[in-house]
Amino acid sequence: EMEHTTQADLEMIVQFINLLAKQLKQSEKHFDTSALHISIGSTPSMFFHKNSLNNNTLELHPGNYVFYDRQQMWTGACKREESVASFVLTRIIGHYPDTERNSIMVDAGATALTKETTPQGEVCAVLGHPELECYRMSQEVTMIRLRDQSSSFQFDDFALGSSLLLIPNHSCLSAACFSRYYVVDEKGLCSTDAEVIDEWIPVSGWA
């Protein structure tokens, strides 16, 4: 449904841009439009336009296409979580086997992920574990439980001290929480022996 909505919205933008370009062309006798550029943004529009924007002076600047996140999964800009390239590495620090909670705790919270929401709900997601729900977050921790609360959590499969990768709702905001990004080889992404092949230092702060 969102893909159809995005496509319809983009087609409206295309019509507007083409109309604007036509009006500018007619105005060339009044001022020079050769150096004029039309600039639009958003990651979904970048991947839904299907070359509809036939204009040499058009600039597209999708801000999130480098990373993607759960929001972009919802818009349809990326189809699967395997397309997301920005994660927060977290450790499991608590087991809560009581029937009321039946959950685990990890050591990444709002200061690592922010509390931005997405239409899917939840505060983030666990890469590779669609059966898990990240249902509550505080400043420093996130609580994770089974979607099917009638089942018992298999705590042995999620040992204390082991690691998980969290998919942010909004990677731009989450990325701003960190002073460096570690780039790992794709094959080892979900492995405990993943190799760090590069380190990126982001530009931050306001000039």
Side-chain angles (χ1 to χ4, degrees):
E1 179 181 354
M2 180 58 192
E3 291 187 20
H4 296 309
T5 302
T6 303
Q7 184 63 40
D9 290 343
L10 183 63
E11 288 173 358
M12 183 175 64
I13 294 173
V14 170
Q15 292 176 7
F16 172 77
I17 291 173
N18 289 335
L19 176 61
L20 178 59
K22 181 178 179 180
Q23 291 176 336
L24 290 173
K25 186 70 175 178
Q26 295 172 347
S27 302
E28 285 184 344
K29 60 181 179 181
H30 301 296
F31 61 92
D32 180 16
T33 62
S34 60
L36 185 64
H37 289 262
I38 300 172
S39 179
I40 64 172
S42 92
T43 297
S45 64
M46 179 67 180
F47 296 97
F48 281 105
H49 68 78
K50 298 180 181 178
N51 298 318
S52 301
L53 304 176
N54 185 21
N55 192 306
N56 293 332
T57 62
L58 177 67
E59 175 189 75
L60 292 169
H61 45 92
N64 191 250
Y65 79 99
V66 174
F67 286 148
Y68 290 142
D69 50 29
R70 294 188 74 229
Q71 175 70 30
Q72 298 306 326
M73 289 173 62
W74 183 77
T75 64
C78 63
K79 304 298 183 182
R80 305 179 308 274
E81 65 179 24
E82 289 82 4
S83 299
V84 179
S86 173
F87 308 98
V88 173
L89 181 66
T90 188
R91 286 186 299 268
I92 298 172
I93 59 173
H95 284 176
Y96 298 90
D98 56 279
T99 55
E100 181 178 350
R101 288 176 290 187
N102 190 34
S103 60
I104 60 175
M105 176 189 286
V106 297
D107 65 354
T111 53
L113 293 150
T114 77
K115 287 192 173 183
E116 287 292 301
T117 60
T118 57
Q120 307 99 304
E122 303 178 42
V123 294
C124 58
V126 182
L127 178 66
H129 291 281
E131 78 281 8
L132 298 182
E133 175 190 12
C134 301
Y135 70 98
R136 193 173 72 229
M137 175 188 291
S138 63
Q139 179 173 311
E140 303 292 349
V141 302
T142 295
M143 299 297 295
I144 302 172
R145 65 188 177 190
L146 291 171
R147 295 186 185 280
D148 180 8
Q149 280 291 285
S150 64
S151 301
S152 297
F153 203 108
Q154 300 301 307
F155 292 100
D156 290 342
D157 295 336
F158 298 88
L160 291 174
S162 61
S163 299
L164 295 172
L165 289 172
L166 303 180
I167 306 174
N169 284 345
H170 292 269
S171 60
C172 294
L173 290 168
S174 181
C177 297
F178 297 91
S179 61
R180 63 192 62 215
Y181 312 142
Y182 294 103
V183 183
V184 300
D185 62 301
E186 184 176 355
K187 293 181 180 179
L189 182 59
C190 297
S191 172
T192 55
D193 59 352
E195 179 186 358
V196 176
I197 59 176
D198 204 353
E199 182 178 325
W200 296 350
I201 306 298
V203 176
S204 60
W206 297 97

